[in-house]
Amino acid sequence: MECAAKGLAAEPCAGGVADRRCGSCGAVAYCSRAHQALNSLYSTLPIAAEWNLQSSLCPCTEPENPVPAVLASWEDYYQWRSLPLHSPVAVLLHWPLTLYHCLQLYRLQTSKYDGQDTLRIHYLGPEKELLQLATFGELRALFPGVQIHIELVGPEVPKSRDGEVVNIPRYARCSDESCCCKSSIGSEDSSCTAVRLKLWKGFYHERCSDIMKDSNPHLIVAPNAGVAAYPSWMPTIEIIRQTGIPAIFTDFCEEAAYLASCCISSITGQPLKIPIQVNPFRQPVAADNSALYLPCYSNCFIFGM
């Protein structure tokens, strides 16, 4: 197993082996006590609604220009949003930008969704993004004029938040007090919210019937799924196969994506509709100079059924 804190710390993982299994969930492991403590701290940070950045470094207001027909890279996105390339926002925006890319791939495969007023997505297995839900507000800029409803379903959703609805009526604000992004404080109308999130605790195959009563999705997305590592994905994939709803998965590395594709094809009896490919909006992580340390990217490879 890889260290669950890999990529969060500046120093590489000790020894390259994660042999300290979590005593609470048993599902993850760590290379050292220090990395276990770091991951625990990261997991208890409050939900961020603001960028701790100057306005010149983050997308806190409406874009100056309409969204291009296709954004194919982080460079394209940064240029469109008038951000310098040294801005760190991609570290968190890989979640909404990966969703954007999944929808672009989906639209190449089918014409079922073609600029409709409401776009419904089932988002499976959220973890760290639960602490950064405000970043999904960037979907407002990527899909202007579209109501986006996302059902976030997974065992990591806290029991106390099961069924909670989160409306995101604005972009995450910058740290500049004089920025125009502050002018909307107190004037937000939840009825005009462009992005609506609803949290569901549990596995998708367990909650699917309840979720479908409220939301029949255009697309199912499972980021960093680890399909081959967790048997709980098997009944979920079978449910997806039965519904016939398109589903796109991402994974940390090409090997994991290949193993996942084999698992999916063994259940569906069909090859992947979207072959394994590099996600242009994967999370960027600085690589260590050591030849023994490989950088860990989130949402690195993408594929779909």
Side-chain angles (χ1 to χ4, degrees):
M1 296 180 69
E2 281 191 337
C3 176
K6 187 175 180 180
L8 297 179
E11 68 277 2
C13 290
V17 178
D19 54 6
R20 297 179 59 88
R21 189 174 292 272
C22 175
S24 297
C25 68
V28 296
Y30 304 91
C31 66
S32 65
R33 185 182 296 275
H35 275 202
Q36 183 172 4
L38 175 67
N39 194 59
S40 297
L41 175 63
Y42 189 95
S43 299
T44 55
L45 290 173
I47 296 173
E50 297 187 7
W51 296 105
N52 189 24
L53 295 168
Q54 298 175 353
S55 59
S56 61
L57 295 177
C58 61
C60 60
T61 59
E62 293 289 344
E64 297 176 0
N65 301 302
V67 61
V70 176
L71 295 172
S73 66
W74 279 119
E75 186 175 4
D76 288 349
Y77 170 78
Y78 271 53
Q79 183 177 3
W80 168 57
R81 281 304 238 152
S82 303
L83 298 172
L85 290 178
H86 63 269
S87 167
V89 295
V91 173
L92 294 180
L93 287 180
H94 71 97
W95 288 312
L97 266 294
T98 293
L99 264 185
Y100 163 83
H101 186 62
C102 289
L103 286 159
Q104 298 307 307
L105 291 173
Y106 170 49
R107 292 175 74 173
L108 292 176
Q109 298 293 319
T110 176
S111 60
K112 183 183 291 186
Y113 169 72
D114 186 17
Q116 297 180 24
D117 292 338
T118 301
L119 177 58
R120 295 178 294 276
I121 302 168
H122 288 184
Y123 189 105
L124 312 189
E127 293 180 348
K128 291 183 173 66
E129 53 267 56
L130 292 170
L131 307 174
Q132 305 290 345
L133 295 179
T135 61
F136 286 94
E138 186 61 9
L139 294 171
R140 292 163 50 91
L142 293 163
F143 298 97
V146 177
Q147 294 285 322
I148 301 175
H149 295 177
I150 305 176
E151 314 290 321
L152 295 101
V153 192
E156 295 302 313
V157 173
K159 186 175 181 180
S160 60
R161 302 188 68 188
D162 187 21
E164 178 181 339
V165 174
V166 179
N167 291 318
I168 305 180
R170 59 174 175 80
Y171 301 105
R173 297 188 175 102
C174 68
S175 60
D176 293 345
E177 291 301 325
S178 60
C179 180
C180 62
C181 71
K182 304 295 192 300
S183 63
S184 61
I185 294 178
S187 63
E188 293 150 1
D189 183 356
S190 61
S191 65
C192 298
T193 296
V195 181
R196 172 188 176 274
L197 312 175
K198 186 171 182 178
L199 309 183
W200 300 81
K201 182 174 179 59
F203 293 112
Y204 188 65
H205 56 271
E206 297 172 341
R207 303 300 307 269
C208 183
S209 58
D210 292 331
I211 299 170
M212 287 290 189
K213 294 175 183 177
D214 298 329
S215 170
N216 191 24
H218 295 96
L219 181 66
I220 296 171
V221 178
N224 299 317
V227 169
Y230 300 101
S232 55
W233 276 109
M234 301 305 106
T236 287
I237 293 170
E238 175 59 24
I239 286 287
I240 295 173
R241 185 193 68 79
Q242 292 174 9
T243 63
I245 297 168
I248 297 181
F249 301 78
T250 73
D251 232 315
F252 286 99
C253 67
E254 189 172 12
E255 181 182 8
Y258 172 75
L259 293 173
S261 69
C262 293
C263 291
I264 292 171
S265 294
S266 70
I267 295 172
T268 63
Q270 300 290 331
L272 295 177
K273 293 182 179 179
I274 297 177
I276 298 171
Q277 55 194 271
V278 173
N279 176 14
F281 296 108
R282 60 193 178 277
Q283 183 184 40
V285 178
D288 190 275
N289 290 329
S290 169
L292 299 178
Y293 177 59
L294 297 176
C296 175
Y297 296 100
S298 182
N299 291 319
C300 191
F301 286 87
I302 194 166
F303 49 98
M305 59 179 283

